[in-house]
Amino acid sequence: MTITTMSRTRRGVRTAGRGIVSMLAAAVLATGLAACSSGSGANEPAQDATQASHVTIEDAWVKAPEEGKTMTAGFGTLKNDGDEDVRVVSASSPVSETMQLHETVTGADGQKKMQEKDGGFVIPAHGEFELAPGANHIMFMKTTQTIQAGDTVDITLTFEDDSTMDFQAPAKAYTGANETYQGGSGASADASSSADSGDMSGMNMGGN
């Protein structure tokens, strides 16, 4: 009887041991699955990048305005390395009260006229959008401080998704495609008064 009881006790120990091993194996498996689950997030795609994150500007510069003038323009080449078109909807700078995105069109009289670009600037996917004298440009409507050749101008572009891109542009003296502005009556209009009135319809931009 004593031997039989000891044998059953040993079998009970062995059975309990197998149960503990099974429980430990299950715990290890569960831990592994949890680790795999938490690690899978590393392979999940990142959130969509902003429009601004796909855009860079090359050869940026600002025309140093003539003495006494408070309107000038910024230029450069905007490049989009993304798979979708992006849209610039506004611009700002600490050196100008207001700024606009402008295009230059040829009027019925054959003269080039600048006007605010409806809908802003669209930069095509994997493409570029040129800002140049006598063409599309960023307009400083009323500068608040003197901008001289050699100065550095801070500019911020805002995109359709409210993302922004900051860049700096050197000021340069430039006489080609000299910007001259006229009021609707045909009389020469001071740049600052034109900006204050907000009426751009009678202005024109001379070009080569």
Side-chain angles (χ1 to χ4, degrees):
M1 287 295 294
T2 301
I3 295 175
T4 302
T5 302
M6 291 179 61
S7 177
R8 287 177 180 175
T9 301
R10 292 192 186 96
R11 283 200 296 270
V13 170
R14 288 198 294 270
T15 300
R18 285 196 295 270
I20 293 173
V21 171
S22 298
M23 291 174 63
L24 288 174
V28 171
L29 179 61
T31 302
L33 291 174
C36 291
S37 177
S38 61
S40 63
N43 297 323
E44 292 177 358
Q47 291 183 345
D48 292 339
T50 63
Q51 292 191 11
S53 67
H54 289 294
V55 178
T56 57
I57 187 166
E58 293 184 357
D59 303 322
W61 63 283
V62 171
K63 179 183 175 183
E66 298 175 7
E67 184 177 357
K69 301 297 183 181
T70 58
M71 295 182 77
T72 191
F75 312 102
T77 302
L78 294 166
K79 294 193 172 184
N80 174 15
D81 65 7
D83 296 329
E84 297 182 357
D85 297 352
V86 299
R87 185 185 301 269
V88 180
V89 296
S90 66
S92 61
S93 172
V95 303
S96 184
E97 287 187 4
T98 58
M99 297 180 71
Q100 293 182 357
L101 308 179
H102 279 192
E103 65 179 347
T104 303
V105 298
T106 302
D109 57 1
Q111 297 296 315
K112 286 186 176 182
K113 298 181 179 181
M114 70 175 186
Q115 62 187 24
E116 192 167 10
K117 176 72 171 177
D118 186 29
F121 298 152
V122 177
I123 312 171
H126 298 288
E128 60 186 44
F129 188 94
E130 185 177 9
L131 306 173
N136 298 297
H137 56 279
I138 302 168
M139 196 72 188
F140 294 71
M141 300 301 295
K142 188 177 182 181
T143 56
T144 55
Q145 64 186 66
T146 302
I147 301 175
Q148 298 180 331
D151 289 346
T152 298
V153 180
D154 295 318
I155 301 173
T156 298
L157 299 182
T158 300
F159 292 78
E160 193 173 28
D161 62 353
D162 290 329
S163 60
T164 58
M165 181 184 79
D166 299 325
F167 66 95
Q168 293 183 321
K172 299 180 180 181
Y174 186 74
T175 56
N178 189 40
E179 293 141 344
T180 56
Y181 305 96
Q182 289 185 337
S185 62
S188 177
D190 178 79
S192 60
S193 63
S194 298
D196 289 339
S197 67
D199 181 10
M200 303 296 296
S201 59
M203 295 183 179
N204 60 62
M205 174 183 282
N208 294 335

